[in-house]
Amino acid sequence: MSSIGVVNFSSEPGSVEIREIEKPSIGEDDVLLEVANVGVCGSDLHQWTSDHSWPVNYPVVLGHEFGGHIAALGKRVIGWKEGDRVVSETAAIIDQNSPLSRQGLYNLDPTRKGFGYGVNGAMTRFVKVPARCLHAVPENLPFEQACLTEPCSVAYSAVVMNSKIKPGDRVIVLGPGTIGILCAAMARLCGAEVAIVGLESDRERLNIAKQYGCEGIVGDASAWANKQDGLGADCIIDAAGASATLKIALQLVRPNGHITKVGWGPQPLNFSLDPLVQKNVTLQGSFSHNWPIWEKVLSLLASGALDVKPIIGGVWELKDWHEAFDQMHSGKVVKSVLKPS
């Protein structure tokens, strides 16, 4: 039995197309997941335009933000049954005996391979998922929202785990894409005052960020950063997909402040990091997420404390993937969602 899938088939720009995909066979510790919804991530767009900086196992089915129903279980899988509503983490392949995995930091295991670049992802009807990746989705949470648990977990990891933001902090987020807006929303949940910064072409996205109680700024955010005491913002979260924004972050952060970089940018820096030293600033990278973060995020989504509806720009059928990608790539929508089945 086969179905269609959105496949990235080479490193040449634009090498994505609909192809026939065989139904995966599952192992003893896997489930077969029938995909209800899958979010389009900025990294899917980067693989489409071929300006990514991570290795890809071509050809590969795209998609790592997904949820659906369990269609079949491997014989060693316990605690789940057919029909269960679930979302899946992204760490499809890990070394469970590595020192990092044993600490619960399997997301940082160097041998990790994720859905959508390392193994086939979820922009198709059925996907093979290790049972250890699964989380139950509450009945009151629709899949088109639940499939965004993954980017919400990226934001939770960046803001809560890696930035340690406190009530009353002044936080600037650079880049009003999905991750930037969700980081801003998460910082608001932590009690911070938040501004989110973009370009002239980002005005629509900045308006969406305002729905989360954030101030939207086009261009220079220096006045907002210095408004309280002239020294800069407590924390800058760099969620832009470019290296150059780190220079802006160093200008906006206060002495003894904190910068968390969550956005990828393969370009060389070409500027001095001396301000990092002079200001005594902490520079923190933030990558991925793990099991307890997913559980926290699902609680926030189910309770309504975190609402992702404002960022969803539309739901497209799988065959219309190109329009869904294009709408996001052009900045017309923050987040596109696909519906495979």
Side-chain angles (χ1 to χ4, degrees), residues 14-168:
S15 297
V16 173
E17 66 184 14
I18 290 281
R19 289 188 176 181
E20 286 284 318
I21 303 296
E22 284 301 310
K23 188 175 182 179
S25 55
I26 60 171
E28 293 181 337
D29 298 309
D30 303 322
V31 303
L32 185 68
L33 187 65
E34 185 167 12
V35 181
N37 286 108
V38 51
V40 180
C41 176
S43 63
D44 297 314
L45 301 181
H46 284 306
Q47 285 180 219
W48 176 45
T49 54
S50 199
D51 55 359
H52 59 286
S53 55
W54 51 89
V56 176
N57 288 337
Y58 303 105
V60 71
V61 179
L62 291 172
H64 60 266
E65 306 174 357
F66 62 99
H69 298 91
I70 295 176
L73 300 113
K75 64 181 181 183
R76 286 208 305 226
V77 175
I78 56 171
W80 300 103
K81 63 183 185 303
E82 287 185 19
D84 279 350
R85 305 174 83 242
V86 294
V87 285
S88 170
E89 294 186 38
T90 55
I93 296 175
I94 59 168
D95 175 3
Q96 299 202 59
N97 292 313
S98 83
L100 287 163
S101 295
R102 284 177 175 256
Q103 292 177 68
L105 298 175
Y106 49 84
N107 54 309
L108 304 179
D109 173 19
T111 67
R112 170 192 186 276
K113 288 186 173 63
F115 293 105
Y117 72 89
V119 302
N120 279 340
M123 289 186 187
T124 184
R125 186 174 174 193
F126 293 102
V127 60
K128 179 180 86 167
V129 178
R132 62 173 170 78
C133 291
L134 298 177
H135 295 260
V137 175
E139 286 293 334
N140 67 324
L141 188 62
F143 276 120
E144 65 184 53
Q145 296 168 42
C147 75
L148 303 190
T149 306
E150 195 276 339
C152 293
S153 295
V154 170
Y156 190 102
S157 184
V159 174
V160 181
M161 307 303 289
N162 287 323
S163 302
K164 300 176 177 63
I165 289 166
K166 303 181 296 297

Side-chain angles (χ1 to χ4, degrees), residues 207-273:
N207 284 336
I208 289 168
K210 288 177 185 174
Q211 296 181 47
Y212 292 100
C214 307
E215 182 149 344
I217 297 173
V218 172
D220 186 8
S222 300
W224 194 92
N226 295 318
K227 184 177 176 183
Q228 191 167 44
D229 60 8
L231 291 173
D234 297 286
C235 178
I236 314 294
I237 296 170
D238 184 353
S243 302
T245 46
L246 184 60
K247 188 175 185 179
I248 297 169
L250 284 166
Q251 291 163 357
L252 296 175
V253 72
R254 70 193 292 107
N256 208 40
H258 187 102
I259 298 170
T260 296
K261 182 159 174 53
V262 65
W264 293 74
Q267 313 85 359
L269 289 175
N270 294 326
F271 62 84
S272 170
L273 287 175

Side-chain angles (χ1 to χ4, degrees), residues 40 45 48 315-330 332-333 336 338:
V40 180
L45 301 181
W48 176 45
V315 180
W316 284 265
E317 290 185 32
L318 206 60
K319 64 181 176 58
D320 298 321
W321 71 270
H322 196 285
E323 185 189 348
F325 277 41
D326 205 48
Q327 291 278 313
M328 256 181 85
H329 190 249
S330 64
K332 291 189 178 74
V333 304
S336 297
L338 297 175

Side-chain angles (χ1 to χ4, degrees), residues 187-207:
R188 289 287 296 145
L189 285 175
C190 293
E193 294 178 65
V194 182
I196 184 163
V197 184
L199 306 171
E200 187 64 45
S201 57
D202 291 322
R203 283 193 182 274
E204 279 302 308
R205 296 178 182 218
L206 292 171
N207 284 336

